[in-house]
Amino acid sequence: MFVIYKVFFILYMTNKHLLKRPSGASFARGAGGAGRAGRLARMRGARPAGRRKRKRKRGPPGAMAAGGPSRSERKAAERVRRLREEQQRERLRQVSRILRKAAAERSAEEGRLLAESEDLVTELQGRSRRREGLKRRQEEVCDDPEELRRKVRELAGAVRNAKYLVVYTGAGISTAASIPDYRGPNGVWTLLQKGRSISAADLSEAEPTLTHMSIARLHEQKLVQHVVSQNCDGLHLRSGLPRTAISELHGNMYIEVSSPSGISGAGAGRRLLPTAPSPSQVCTACTPNREYVRVFDVTERTALHRHQTGRACHKCGGQLRDTIVHFGERGTLGQPLNWEAATQAASKADTILCLGSSLKVLKKYPRLWCMTKPPSRRPKLYIVNLQWTPKDDWAALKLHGKCDDVMQLLMDELGLEIPPYSRWQDPIFALATPLRAGEEGSHSRKSLCRSREDPPPGDRGAALSSAPVLGGWFGRGCAKRTKRRKIT
């Protein structure tokens, strides 16, 4: 009975164990006798041998066990995941660097474009301001009659009280004689800058204006000591002003001299503007230089750097040349430029009156403005001009009016009568040197005559031209900033 019970117990425990294990493994162990060994081991209190082998059993690398990936597989997968994350982060860093670089380049380009646009706007604004300033400077401004009279009264007081008054004159005093100026609305350079052609009436028809005659009367009354003129029209000389009282810095269209080596004398190195020709020619081959005053314009055949008139000196036979100083040339003749007297007069002056001059050329001559003296000792400056001048800020008084109108009011304030011009009293006829035999046809310009009804003297056989006069002053090679061609 006990033996039977023991057999049933063993069978019960065996079945219970087999139910807990997979059927294949149970079958294998049962087939091989392993189940019996396990039961015996459990009965003895030890671990079954089959379990120890199953726990230590390792599959091949990369093989998946029934319960999931192994530790090495998990480590390998973790390394792969970390490597991919690191590569992804590196790619993100590279993209970030590229984006930052592109953003910096874009920002720099935007800054450059912005700076260029600001520079362009500034340049355009500057051009606009310069254009407006040039336009304002070229505009003519007139004082109202009452204001002009008040200013003339102040000018009259300055003329009376002046100890040494010097007058600087420009093209504006000759416009009333139908001689164009340079920078006025219808000036020579104004028209040239607009691309328009220029012409002038025969200068022999021009006569001294009211301003010329007023200056001559003021000098006669010892109120004016010296006149410094930029004009070449010779009207100061024809008004009766003594030669010693005039400095014609740019020459005289009625005077020719003999000069084989070119103009020389005081004022070298100065850049002078082209000016109207004057009525005399000079011989510089003679010592002292020999002047020939003519009654016609001697600049017909002359131009910039070409000054020979085609006539010869009566004494030495040297070639005669005009006395005109064009823009870009150096005016250094003793007469009629008379630089020495001009600088001496400027050094003595306590008052300077500028009539009809833009002063854009005269301002370049510091000797005429006593720039070496302290400002408190420099002469007082009075300007009569319709347009802006670079010396306006220095002036004690600026009168915006025509020269003839201002001088008429000034002479009335001073109680002086303006002498009329008379061709019969024109000094040029007394100073003129007649042409020699054979020289009558050396020019085609109309000559001056004492009476408009009289025939011009000394040009019998001369072919007078009816075309506009385009000689020395307006003629060939006298354009602004024309450079002399170098000979190689």
Side-chain angles (χ1 to χ4, degrees):
M1 197 63 187
F2 175 79
V3 174
I4 295 171
Y5 175 77
K6 185 124 178 157
V7 170
F8 278 101
F9 177 77
I10 292 171
L11 292 173
Y12 168 75
M13 294 301 294
T14 300
N15 291 333
K16 184 177 179 181
H17 178 68
L18 291 175
L19 290 174
K20 293 182 179 180
R21 300 178 64 85
S23 58
S26 300
F27 178 75
R29 283 193 295 272
R36 186 181 305 165
R39 287 193 298 273
L40 290 175
R42 282 195 300 275
M43 293 177 62
R44 295 173 184 164
R47 293 178 69 105
R51 284 191 183 179
R52 285 196 301 270
K53 290 180 180 180
R54 184 174 60 82
K55 189 174 182 180
R56 289 195 303 267
K57 187 176 180 180
R58 297 289 185 271
M64 297 293 294
S70 62
R71 180 182 297 177
S72 61
E73 291 173 345
R74 289 194 300 272
K75 289 182 178 180
E78 182 69 16
R79 285 196 297 271
V80 170
R81 183 182 64 80
R82 291 178 180 176
L83 180 60
R84 289 176 179 174
E85 290 179 354
E86 184 64 27
Q87 291 176 349
Q88 187 176 6
R89 284 194 294 270
E90 182 63 25
R91 285 196 296 270
L92 291 175
R93 284 193 292 268
Q94 292 177 357
V95 171
S96 178
R97 285 195 295 268
I98 293 173
L99 292 177
R100 285 197 299 270
K101 184 177 179 180
E105 292 177 352
R106 186 171 61 253
S107 177
E109 182 68 14
E110 290 176 354
R112 185 181 65 81
L113 293 176
L114 181 60
E116 289 180 356
S117 63
E118 291 177 351
D119 293 342
L120 181 60
V121 170
T122 303
E123 182 180 357
L124 292 176
Q125 291 176 348
R127 289 182 181 178
S128 177
R129 286 194 297 269
R130 288 193 295 272
R131 191 160 47 245
E132 291 176 358
L134 180 61
K135 185 177 180 181
R136 286 195 301 269
R137 292 176 182 182
Q138 290 179 344
E139 290 178 351
E140 293 186 346
V141 179
C142 293
D143 291 329
D144 61 79
E146 287 299 325
E147 178 69 10
L148 189 61
R149 291 192 188 93
R150 183 193 65 79
K151 290 183 177 180
V152 169
R153 285 194 293 269
E154 183 178 346
L155 176 61
V159 171
R160 290 192 193 97
N161 298 327
K163 296 179 181 178
Y164 202 98
L165 173 61
V166 180
V167 177
Y168 294 170
T169 62
I173 70 170
S174 298
T175 53
S178 300
I179 299 177
D181 57 9
Y182 298 106
R183 296 180 177 86
N186 296 315
V188 176
W189 285 357
T190 303
L191 296 179
L192 288 176
Q193 289 174 353
K194 293 180 179 179
R196 296 167 59 182
S197 60
I198 58 173
S199 62
D202 194 331
L203 297 180
S204 64
E205 299 295 329
E207 296 180 348
T209 65
L210 182 146
T211 300
H212 290 95
M213 302 306 296
S214 299
I215 294 173
R217 185 58 184 273
L218 290 173
H219 179 268
E220 180 185 343
Q221 297 294 318
K222 302 188 183 305
L223 293 175
V224 170
Q225 277 67 41
H226 198 78
V227 176
V228 178
S229 176
Q230 301 174 77
N231 301 334
C232 303
D233 50 31
L235 296 181
H236 279 303
L237 177 65
R238 295 176 59 188
S239 70
L241 201 63
R243 293 292 304 278
T244 56
I246 316 171
S247 293
E248 296 175 298
L249 302 183
H250 296 168
N252 187 312
M253 78 179 195
Y254 294 107
I255 301 176
E256 56 185 350
V257 300
S258 176
S259 176
S261 59
I263 294 179
S264 62
R270 303 300 181 188
R271 299 184 66 189
L272 302 180
L273 303 176
T275 50
S278 122
S280 89
Q281 63 187 30
V282 184
C283 175
T284 57
C286 300
T287 304
N289 295 344
R290 185 177 296 273
E291 284 189 347
Y292 292 86
V293 179
R294 306 296 190 182
V295 292
F296 56 87
D297 179 4
V298 303
T299 68
E300 178 182 4
R301 300 179 182 180
T302 66
L304 179 67
H305 302 305
R306 298 196 303 272
H307 294 274
Q308 291 187 355
T309 63
R311 288 173 288 276
C313 177
H314 298 180
K315 183 177 181 181
C316 68
Q319 286 291 320
L320 295 178
R321 57 155 300 152
D322 67 10
T323 60
I324 306 305
V325 181
H326 296 287
F327 185 89
E329 295 180 337
R330 298 178 180 180
T332 56
L333 269 177
Q335 288 291 342
L337 310 188
N338 203 7
W339 264 101
E340 183 178 357
T343 54
Q344 288 180 358
S347 64
K348 297 177 183 178
D350 63 338
T351 305
I352 295 176
L353 174 60
C354 298
L355 297 172
S357 173
S358 67
L359 300 180
K360 291 184 178 179
V361 176
L362 290 182
K363 75 171 184 177
K364 300 179 182 179
Y365 306 127
R367 288 181 294 173
L368 298 181
W369 305 102
C370 304
M371 299 304 293
T372 57
K373 296 181 180 180
S376 60
R377 295 181 56 192
R378 293 173 191 168
K380 293 183 179 179
L381 179 60
Y382 295 84
I383 300 175
V384 179
N385 203 303
L386 292 171
Q387 295 176 304
W388 173 90
T389 76
K391 292 288 186 179
D392 284 356
D393 294 338
W394 293 59
L397 182 65
K398 172 71 180 292
L399 295 86
H400 296 94
K402 294 182 178 180
C403 293
D404 281 5
D405 296 341
V406 172
M407 293 306 293
Q408 179 70 66
L409 294 173
L410 177 62
M411 298 299 282
D412 292 342
E413 286 289 333
L414 295 175
L416 298 176
E417 183 181 356
I418 303 174
Y421 167 74
S422 172
R423 285 207 175 200
W424 288 98
Q425 298 175 355
D426 195 325
I428 195 171
F429 296 108
L431 297 172
T433 303
L435 295 174
R436 293 188 302 180
E439 291 183 338
E440 291 83 357
S442 62
H443 72 98
S444 61
R445 295 295 173 83
K446 184 179 179 180
S447 298
L448 298 174
C449 55
R450 290 184 181 272
S451 173
R452 295 183 182 275
E453 290 76 18
D454 295 339
D459 30 332
R460 289 185 299 273
L464 297 179
S465 173
S466 60
V469 177
L470 298 176
W473 177 20
F474 297 99
R476 302 175 301 277
C478 294
K480 185 180 179 183
R481 298 190 183 279
T482 299
K483 293 183 179 179
R484 187 176 184 179
R485 188 175 180 178
K486 294 183 179 179
I487 301 175
T488 57

